[in-house]
Structures are given as structure tokens and as C-alpha cells.
Amino acid sequence: MSQDAKKRAVAEAALEFVVPGELVGVGTGSTANAFIDALATARGRIDGAVASSKATAARLAEHGIRVVELNSAGNLPVYVDGADEATRHRHLVKGGGGALTREKIVAAAAGTFVCVVDDSKIVDRLGRFPLPVEVIPMARSLVARALVRLGGRPERREGFVTDNGNEILDVHGLDILDPPTLESELNQIAGIVANGLFARRGADMVLIGTAKGVERI
Ligand code: 5RP
């Protein structure tokens, strides 16, 4: 079974969590795109969607799904998004697509965060995938030095500007033994807007696409 087929399978399985007549939060990336495609078949059943990026908002609109700003959204029962890495404790690394800040905001606003991944994303310990960190441009060097002191090797994502007008540092070599503690530590560094650890508010449910079907954690 191909990776794309696994992504499609988890995306379709996530439809089960969408609450009829309510809004749904939608993440960013290829798995989230597969979810948008699945959601289009059920668009009459939902009130609309809150997007975690400009790209997702555009794709939702192309599919005829009403896009609602988070500030105007009332109840947001569910958020569906992919991840770059996920553990069986439902801690995640996200931000490969650079949308981590808005993803964290929409996840924080949602009642339930359903993470959809194929089985290549499941790891015992986070950190093999370089940790994305969104930084205010003027603080890039200051933040990079702080990340080096924490044992990381930050690399600027060349030519990339986030939806918020900021830059991304991809941090290699971090040994992430305690994801919630590192997430909090990174949040204290002046100039960091958000980091790609989703551990303090991890996923409530991880759906994993495997050759044998969709597994749930
Ligand atoms: C974007 C993300 C994505 O969820 C993550 O990069 C996974 O993407 P994909 O589903 O394409 O593998 O965090 O910022």
C-alpha cells in the first residue's frame, strides 16, 4: 500500500470525528489536504471550516467549503491535522510545512485534536525530524544562539516566509527526552513565536494509516 493511499485512508477515517452542523478546524500539509478532499464529500453536513494556513483556506474554498476566521468562530469541536513525527504518547513534531503557529492556535481552540498520519511518522522518541521554530526575523541570530546552547543545530529555512511574515529555523540534533518540558523552555526564549513541539497540548487521538488498515492511539 502506498504512503498516499495510507494518507487517504486516515483522512477518510477522520470524517467520523466531524460533528454535523458544526465547524471543523483543518490543518496543513499533504495529509490535511487528503482530509479536505474527503471533507468535500460531506460539506453539506458541516457549518464550515477554520483553516490553519492560507494554503488550507484556499483549498477549502476551492472545494466549496465555507472558511470561517477563528475570531468569528464559536464552538470548534474538532481539529484535524497531520504531523511530521508522532509518539504513542500522542506527542508530536509539526511545522514541516511552516504553518506551526497557526496550527498550534487552532489546536488550542479545538475541543478534540485528531492527528492523521501514515505509519512512517511514528517514532519512539521525537527529534529525528528537525524541529521547526518560527522566529521574528530580527531575533533570528539571538534565537539561534540560544538553540545551540540547548544542544541543537539550527538551520535557517532559506527563502521561506510564514503566513505571519516570520522565518523558520529547523533545529537538528535535539535529543527530545521530555517533550512538554522542552516545549515550555523554547516558549521562554525571546523572539520565538512558536515551536513545533505539540506536547503540552498534544493530540487527543492519533489515527495511523498502515498496510493493515487504520490504527488508533
Ligand atoms: C505543516 C505540518 C504538517 O502537518 C506536517 O508537515 C505533515 O505534513 P504531511 O501531511 O504533508 O506529511 O505540520 O506545518
Side-chain angles (χ1 to χ4, degrees), residues 67-179:
V67 179
V68 177
E69 290 295 324
L70 182 62
N71 284 323
S72 316
N75 190 31
L76 186 63
V78 180
Y79 176 57
V80 178
D81 196 0
D84 299 298
E85 286 186 335
T87 69
R88 293 194 174 268
H89 298 290
R90 290 181 262 104
H91 293 152
L92 315 171
V93 164
K94 292 185 43 54
L100 60 152
T101 300
R102 294 188 185 202
E103 291 172 339
K104 217 171 232 197
I105 292 167
V106 184
T112 302
F113 176 8
V114 179
C115 181
V116 282
V117 292
D118 65 80
D119 51 7
S120 69
K121 306 286 184 65
I122 303 299
V123 295
D124 290 330
R125 190 190 292 186
L126 300 173
R128 196 179 52 202
F129 190 91
L131 181 69
V133 173
E134 179 165 349
V135 295
I136 301 285
M138 70 162 287
R140 186 182 63 248
S141 300
L142 176 76
V143 169
R145 287 194 292 274
L147 293 169
V148 168
R149 283 196 294 278
L150 287 175
R153 280 179 285 109
E155 268 179 24
R156 183 182 184 183
R157 200 178 289 184
E158 288 296 335
F160 187 86
V161 178
T162 70
D163 283 354
N164 314 306
N166 297 316
E167 298 181 10
I168 298 281
L169 291 172
D170 291 305
V171 191
H172 298 252
L174 285 174
D175 194 12
I176 308 180
L177 284 172
D178 181 351

Side-chain angles (χ1 to χ4, degrees), residues 40-55:
T41 65
R43 65 171 176 259
R45 282 200 274 134
I46 57 164
D47 187 27
V50 174
S52 64
S53 64
K54 291 178 181 172

